[in-house]
Structure formats: C-alpha cells, structure tokens
Amino acid sequence: MRPTPSRRHVLKTVVAGLSAATLPRLAPAQTATQRPPQPAAKPNPYRVNEPVSIEVNARPLPSFDIRDRSRVRFGSLEYRSGLILTSSFSGFGGLSALRLDPRGERFIAVSDQGSWFTGRIVYRGREMVGLDEVEAAPLLGPDGKPITARGWYDSESLALDGSLVYVGLERVNQVLRYDFAKGFTRARGEVVPLPPAVRKLPNNKGLEGLVLVPKGLPLAGTLIAFSERGLDSNGNLVAFLVGGKTPGQFSVRRTENFDISDAALLPAGDLLILERKFSWFGGVGIRIRRVALSQIAPGAVIDGPAIFSADLSNEIDNMEGIDVYVTEAGETVLTMISDDNFSLIQRNLLLQFTLVE
C-alpha cells in the first residue's frame, strides 16, 4: 500500500536534512520497500521459438459428403482426396494459409501464431496420403527476432513472387516481405509500405488474403490484399491494390454474411475467393467465388458466381487457405487448408479438388 500524503511529506523533510554521508546507510531500507520481481510469463506452447523438424500424422478422408459417401461432384469441383493432420508437436496447428510449388508437392504454410511450416505432400497416384520433411520455424522480424517478441503473431495470408514471400499480419494489419533466397525460413522480414486506410481495418477482421499477380496478366506486379471484414460505406468488403501501375482501393460485394478467408489465381487469370461464415444457429459454411481479374480496378466493386459451397454436412472446418496448381495431365487442382484454432473440437484439414470447367 502506498504511504499517505502526510507520511510522504515527513519522509521528504527527513531526507532533506540528512547529509550525503548518511544517505548510503538508507539504501538497504529503501531497497527493501521495492516490489518483489514479477514472475516470468509462461511461454505460449503454440508458438515456435526456433527451427525444428516435426512429424505430422495424416488420416485419410475417403469422401467429402458425410451423408452420401459416393458423391464426388460439388458445384464446379470434384473431390480428389483429403487428410486430417495431427502432430505431437504442440506448435502444430492454426494453419491459416499455404502456397504450393508448380507440382503441388512442396508447400509453405503459416500458423496464426507467427510460425512457418514447410514440407512435402506425399501422393499415391492422385490422392494425398501424408506429409513428409515438415519443419516448423518462427517468422522473424526486421531485427532478426521472432515477430512474436514485438507482439505480432496473427499471420493469416501468403503470396509468392519467385523467391519473395509476402506474409499478411491481421491484428496489426502489416505485410512482411521475406527473401527465401537469403536463408529460407531464417530470412528476416521487411515491412511493406501500405496505404494508410489499411491501418483503419478492424483489429481481428483485417488483412486475411494476399495474391501477387504474375507477369502476363492484368495488374502484373500488383499485390492484392483482402480484408476479412473491413467494410466500405455500402457494407462491401474492402481490398487494396499495393504497388503495380494502378494502386488503390476496391471492394468485393458482400452477400449472405460471408467474409473473406483467402484468395488464389487460376492460371488463366481468374481470381478464386475463398469465403466462410459462422453462426450459432446456422453453423459453418464456406464457398468459393470466381471473379475475372479484369474486373479489378481502383474504386471497383467486384462480384462473381459461387462455383463451390459446403457446410457441416461435408468434411469441412474453419477453412482459411486456398491455392491452385496444374497437374502434368492438365488438371487444375484446388487445395484448401483449415485452421483448428488449437482447439480439441476442431481439425486441421487438407483437402483437394479438381476444377471441372
């Protein structure tokens, strides 16, 4: 308890009358009245503090429809295979985004606890059967320390541009750029300048999806950043064009209370937007909308048809990441991943579908 004002006044008077030689004798008494040191904060078991190889177990999902196991067609998609992923490593989970190599084998993923996960998808024929060579590592900031040391951790989105990897952080609404040619997951992130409006996005509904438009397509060289539920004056979902020839802001028409989870580009240039919604009465729902990249421009409101939708009658969870690759046979494959929120009642799912044009 703090001393009363009258006692403080008395102490000041006494100290003022003491000689300099006397003051050192008071030091032990003064030190004794200081607060005891606070106990160190408990480490977060879900965060990765240093690179480590881990084992991930995979259980197959032979069908996507829970009620009709023979069904394989869902909108414009055809189910290929799926896995339920688990690990004894406490930091495995919270998977929020992934990007694949052109063969659909090597992957980069991020956890919303500020961690990298890299490795290889193992196939048997066209079906996924497991993960191999999986490594976890912390995302590093510009200072070379884990971003969690500065209170950044909600890594929700990924975009690739050659060796450059862009990571979107939701709660602080920042984007970090990593050059994997300089140390792979040991590389330091550099803060990417963003429009001031990005900072005004909601704390937990901010940057959720990133797409880097490659050469040869409209908006080439532009980083497209989607908010989860940042709304414009008409209630549509806010997104940004960062860099490129026409930077600016546009919107995605919001319907049926869906929010944006992620996005990916088809080889021909159409944009796939993964969306989800949740209510205590209606449960979880997801859908994918297909939008022509040519629609996107500063000030535009884009929209497109839903090519896929699913709910709890299907093998879904909190689906947060999507990517696309093309097989040697010319099939366009969509890969989705879910974030289990490190919850015992949720799952880390890895699902693949063929796009049926």
Side-chain angles (χ1 to χ4, degrees):
M1 179 179 297
R2 293 181 178 180
T4 62
S6 59
R7 178 172 173 77
R8 186 183 301 117
H9 177 74
V10 171
L11 288 173
K12 285 183 178 180
T13 304
V14 172
V15 171
L18 293 174
S19 66
T22 307
L23 286 176
R25 291 199 297 269
L26 289 178
Q30 290 174 330
T31 303
T33 62
Q34 293 177 353
R35 292 182 179 179
Q38 298 296 313
K42 293 183 179 180
N44 187 329
Y46 306 130
R47 292 182 180 170
V48 180
N49 297 314
E50 59 185 3
V52 59
S53 295
I54 66 170
E55 182 177 349
V56 176
N57 302 309
R59 182 160 60 89
L61 282 172
S63 60
F64 183 65
D65 191 313
I66 295 173
R67 294 173 296 191
D68 183 358
R69 300 292 183 179
S70 64
R71 181 184 174 196
V72 295
R73 183 68 180 267
F74 304 88
S76 297
L77 304 186
E78 186 176 279
Y79 184 62
R80 294 171 71 91
S81 65
L83 299 173
I84 303 172
L85 305 176
T86 58
S87 176
S88 60
F89 179 65
S90 63
F92 182 77
L95 304 174
S96 298
L98 87 162
R99 291 291 182 245
L100 303 171
D101 71 3
R103 296 172 57 89
E105 295 179 355
R106 291 283 172 181
F107 68 86
I108 302 169
V110 289
S111 159
D112 58 16
Q113 292 294 321
S115 306
W116 298 107
F117 289 95
T118 58
R120 180 172 62 89
I121 301 175
V122 180
Y123 292 89
R124 182 178 299 128
R126 71 200 299 265
E127 296 185 0
M128 300 182 295
V129 294
L131 300 185
D132 198 9
E133 302 171 23
V134 180
E135 183 186 83
L139 275 77
L140 303 182
D143 57 1
K145 298 178 181 179
I147 62 170
T148 53
R150 59 176 64 195
W152 295 2
Y153 61 93
D154 208 358
S155 35
E156 292 282 347
S157 48
L158 278 173
L160 303 184
D161 182 17
S163 68
L164 300 180
V165 182
Y166 294 83
V167 180
L169 307 179
E170 183 178 23
R171 292 179 188 267
V172 294
N173 292 314
Q174 299 268 15
V175 172
L176 296 175
R177 179 177 55 236
Y178 294 85
D179 188 349
F180 268 28
K182 299 178 179 179
F184 196 48
T185 57
R186 282 69 162 175
R188 297 185 180 193
E190 300 177 352
V191 176
V192 176
L194 298 175
V198 174
R199 297 296 183 92
K200 299 179 182 179
L201 292 173
N203 175 268
N204 196 28
K205 296 293 181 182
L207 293 179
E208 190 74 18
L210 292 177
V211 171
L212 196 291
V213 183
K215 296 178 181 179
L217 293 177
L219 302 175
T222 302
L223 181 67
I224 307 177
F226 296 89
S227 72
E228 179 179 359
R229 198 195 298 167
L231 303 178
D232 64 15
S233 58
N234 295 313
N236 294 315
L237 300 158
V238 174
F240 300 89
L241 301 171
V242 181
K245 296 181 180 179
T246 57
Q249 181 174 322
F250 68 98
S251 297
V252 180
R253 191 174 304 282
R254 188 176 191 237
T255 61
E256 300 180 40
N257 294 319
F258 276 96
D259 298 327
I260 293 176
S261 291
D262 200 6
L265 278 175
L266 291 172
D270 281 0
L271 185 70
L272 299 180
I273 301 177
L274 175 63
E275 299 176 302
R276 65 182 170 185
K277 65 179 178 180
F278 170 79
S279 72
W280 292 109
F281 298 103
V284 178
I286 66 169
R287 74 178 180 188
I288 298 172
R289 275 194 283 176
R290 183 171 181 169
V291 179
L293 196 60
S294 59
Q295 285 191 36
I296 301 178
V301 179
I302 68 170
D303 197 358
I307 65 168
F308 168 84
S309 62
D311 56 26
L312 290 178
S313 65
N314 309 114
E315 294 282 12
I316 66 167
D317 208 283
N318 179 29
M319 311 307 298
E320 288 217 358
I322 185 172
D323 201 19
V324 177
Y325 76 94
V326 179
T327 69
E328 293 181 352
E331 295 178 305
T332 300
V333 178
L334 277 59
T335 304
M336 287 183 274
I337 198 164
S338 72
D339 172 1
D340 70 344
N341 290 307
F342 295 95
S343 167
L344 294 175
I345 61 174
Q346 291 183 263
R347 301 176 295 173
N348 296 302
L349 301 181
L350 188 65
L351 307 175
Q352 287 192 337
F353 297 82
T354 304
L355 175 62
V356 183
E357 297 287 357

